[in-house]
């Protein structure tokens, strides 16, 4: 891998920022918001930020870069697909539970649902994430989709995955700000009490984590190299899938190099034929 040391540094920074975000959310809930429960009180709502940050942000971010871990490149591509899909499934389950907690709390406290921009974008991104997961299973994991369909959907799958991840972080930032504005009354949020400062630091950690993950996912020289004998799911009689699921950029250099090799080989064979014909003519 090119810049292996730099990759490890970015990976360590991402893990540190992501893990710190989860810890900060737990400290926020237990130190400032009264802990957790499932009884329709504000403590039930506290599941919402914890599960969103743990699953929808941290686990989803790891799922995005799991293909790029160089020590997994000796594993089969199929195994890495299952790991990628499994992490995203866990993130989806945690996101669903977090949404249920928010709705149950609102209903128990007679608070209107779906009135804020945070709730609109949050529900929309959860629906798109579910669709993304379904398409990933149906097209790229199961062996029924034709290879042309996989190749056509791959750029869309990659782009939508990164867009969903970035939108989730933006939605989380809106949510924690909204929660602070509504919850902090005396002193108010504008007075910068300790809870406000602490949660603002949590927001910075989420931004740092998201920025590092997106940077790692957009570096073409850090993507998983193509395998010589790729074990891929393909239709009977089909050709192997040639597009990496984790790649965020289309690299045509391999095709160009293959064409050059083919042309060079053809020229070499033609020159050999000319040399043989010339030798026969002098005999």
């Amino acid at each position: 891998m090119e810049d292996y040391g730099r990759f490890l540094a970015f990976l360590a920074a991402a893990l540190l920022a992501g893990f710190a975000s989860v810890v900060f959310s737990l400290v926020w809930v237990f130190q400032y918001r009264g802990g957790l429960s499932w009884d329709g009180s504000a403590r039930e709502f506290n599941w919402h930020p914890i599960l969103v940050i743990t699953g929808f942000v941290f686990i989803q971010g790891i799922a995005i870069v799991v293909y790029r871990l160089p020590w997994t490149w000796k594993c089969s591509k199929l195994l890495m697909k299952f790991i990628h899909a499994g992490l995203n499934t866990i993130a989806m389950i945690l996101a669903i539970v977090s949404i249920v907690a928010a709705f149950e709390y609102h209903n128990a406290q007679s608070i209107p649902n779906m009135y804020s921009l945070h709730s609109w974008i949050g529900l929309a991104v959860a629906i798109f994430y579910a669709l993304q997961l379904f398409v990933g299973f149906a097209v790229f994991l199961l062996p029924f989709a034709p290879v042309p369909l996989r190749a056509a959907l791959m750029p869309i799958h990659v782009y939508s995955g990164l867009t969903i991840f970035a939108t989730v972080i933006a939605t989380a930032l809106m949510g924690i700000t909204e929660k602070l504005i509504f919850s902090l009354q005396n002193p108010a949020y504008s007075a910068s009490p300790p809870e406000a400062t602490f949660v603002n630091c949590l927001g910075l950690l989420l931004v740092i984590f998201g920025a590092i993950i997106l940077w790692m996912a957009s570096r073409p020289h850090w993507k998983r190299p193509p395998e010589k004998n790729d074990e891929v799911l393909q239709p009977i009689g089909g050709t192997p899938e040639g597009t990496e699921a984790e790649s965020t950029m289309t690299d045509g250099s391999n095709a160009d190099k293959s064409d050059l090799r083919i042309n060079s080989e053809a020229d070499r064979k033609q020159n050999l034929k000319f040399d043989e014909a010339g030798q026969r003519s002098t005999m």
Side-chain angles (χ1 to χ4, degrees), residues 156-239:
I156 300 174
H157 181 74
V158 172
Y159 175 79
S160 60
L162 297 179
T163 302
I164 288 171
F165 176 69
T167 307
V168 164
I169 292 179
T171 308
L173 296 177
M174 286 190 290
I176 62 178
T177 303
E178 181 181 297
K179 180 65 176 177
L180 289 175
I181 292 175
F182 290 159
S183 300
L184 298 178
Q185 300 297 331
N186 189 22
Y189 181 38
S190 58
S192 298
E195 181 180 356
T197 302
F198 183 83
V199 178
N200 286 346
C201 292
L202 168 60
L204 289 176
L205 287 172
L206 293 176
V207 171
I208 292 171
F209 176 73
I212 296 174
I213 292 296
L214 293 175
W215 176 264
M216 294 174 66
S218 62
R219 300 304 93 192
H221 54 276
W222 285 347
K223 71 179 181 180
R224 179 186 175 98
E227 300 175 1
K228 293 182 180 179
N229 297 314
D230 237 349
E231 294 180 10
V232 294
L233 296 172
Q234 60 184 26
I236 298 176
T239 57

Side-chain angles (χ1 to χ4, degrees), residues 125-153:
V125 76
I127 293 172
F128 280 112
Y129 189 69
L131 292 175
Q132 170 89 343
L133 191 61
F134 173 77
V135 172
F137 270 106
V139 176
F140 301 109
L141 194 60
L142 299 180
F144 307 117
V147 173
L149 178 62
R150 295 185 183 188
L153 291 181

Side-chain angles (χ1 to χ4, degrees), residues 246-278:
E246 72 280 7
S247 176
T248 59
M249 298 180 65
T250 303
D251 189 355
S253 61
N254 291 334
D256 295 339
K257 292 177 181 178
S258 298
D259 293 340
L260 290 175
R261 285 196 297 268
I262 293 173
N263 293 335
S264 300
E265 185 69 16
D267 293 340
R268 188 180 65 83
K269 290 181 179 180
Q270 187 174 7
N271 290 335
L272 287 175
K273 290 180 181 180
F274 288 154
D275 292 342
E276 292 175 358

Side-chain angles (χ1 to χ4, degrees), residues 80-116:
M80 298 311 300
K81 284 185 177 182
F82 274 110
I83 294 175
H84 176 75
L87 290 173
N88 280 297
T89 301
I90 294 173
M92 184 75 252
I93 293 172
L94 295 181
I96 291 174
V97 176
S98 73
I99 293 173
V100 171
F103 273 90
E104 285 200 2
Y105 164 71
H106 282 187
N107 294 334
Q109 302 296 323
S110 298
I111 299 175
N113 291 307
M114 302 300 299
Y115 65 89
S116 66

